[in-house]
Amino acid sequence: MLVKISEIKVNKRVRKDKGDLDSLKTSLRSYGLLNPITLTSDYELIAGERRLEAAKAIGWETINANVLPKDLSEEKLLEMELEENNQRKEFTDDELLEGYHRLEKLRNPSFFRKILNWFKRKFKAFKKWLSKKSKKSTKTKEIIKANH
């Protein structure tokens, strides 16, 4: 659900240090909000304060949010805030290295990969064209059958 940022209330939070938001602001500009923030039904922030602050800083007026049902206790809401921040798992160094290696290969494919990708695109285009032709042929047969 898209929510006006000006309507969101940020009350007492467990996290005190928001850290540097520059990379998060860059990410929001580049990719948008990948994970919505979480709010109570009264638009009180439960999870996503850093995302909210970064969105404010880059001038967003609305943000995507999951809005929780009204019947949740204060205890449950605090549990959710703690859980959301506690259950993240950073990439290991090896995972991060592999991910960036794969990204580099996608950004700078070898000559052979470029040729292979060209053939894949042409095959997909041919398959799409063939599918359209088949649908037209089926429609024509149905029309002929209906008129006889």
Side-chain angles (χ1 to χ4, degrees):
M1 157 186 267
L2 213 50
V3 175
K4 287 184 180 179
I5 288 176
S6 62
E7 295 178 5
I8 297 172
K9 298 176 235 71
V10 180
N11 295 327
K12 187 175 181 183
R13 308 284 300 152
V14 173
R15 182 183 300 283
K16 303 297 182 227
D17 179 8
K18 292 181 193 88
D20 181 20
L21 298 177
D22 288 341
S23 62
L24 184 52
K25 289 186 282 188
T26 300
S27 176
L28 290 178
R29 281 187 200 104
S30 299
Y31 308 109
L33 184 68
L34 299 176
N35 295 302
I37 64 171
T38 304
L39 306 173
T40 65
S41 58
D42 297 326
Y43 290 2
E44 181 183 331
L45 184 70
I46 298 302
E49 186 176 19
R50 294 184 75 246
R51 286 168 274 163
L52 177 62
E53 291 303 317
K56 284 181 190 177
I58 62 173
W60 286 12
E61 294 182 12
T62 59
I63 192 165
N64 206 2
N66 291 324
V67 180
L68 301 172
K70 289 184 181 212
D71 59 350
L72 295 174
S73 69
E74 196 173 328
E75 176 186 349
K76 190 64 152 179
L77 294 172
L78 181 55
E79 283 178 355
M80 292 173 84
E81 178 184 349
L82 293 168
E83 189 71 9
E84 196 267 345
N85 283 287
N86 197 36
Q87 290 305 319
R88 277 192 224 124
K89 183 179 181 306
E90 300 293 328
F91 282 122
T92 65
D93 289 343
D94 287 342
E95 290 168 335
L96 198 55
L97 187 62
E98 179 192 343
Y100 279 116
H101 178 70
R102 287 173 46 197
L103 183 59
E104 180 64 24
K105 286 173 92 176
L106 289 171
R107 286 181 175 162
N108 300 301
S110 67
F111 180 72
F112 175 74
R113 175 58 64 184
K114 287 178 183 177
I115 292 172
L116 186 61
N117 289 343
W118 182 84
F119 276 110
K120 282 182 180 179
R121 284 191 306 275
K122 295 300 177 191
F123 180 73
K124 282 182 182 180
F126 177 70
K127 195 172 162 184
K128 188 176 179 181
W129 175 82
L130 201 57
S131 175
K132 285 181 182 178
K133 280 287 224 195
S134 175
K135 286 178 185 176
K136 283 182 182 178
S137 174
T138 302
K139 280 185 178 182
T140 304
K141 287 177 186 175
E142 289 173 358
I143 291 169
I144 292 170
K145 208 178 211 181
N147 290 327
H148 281 75

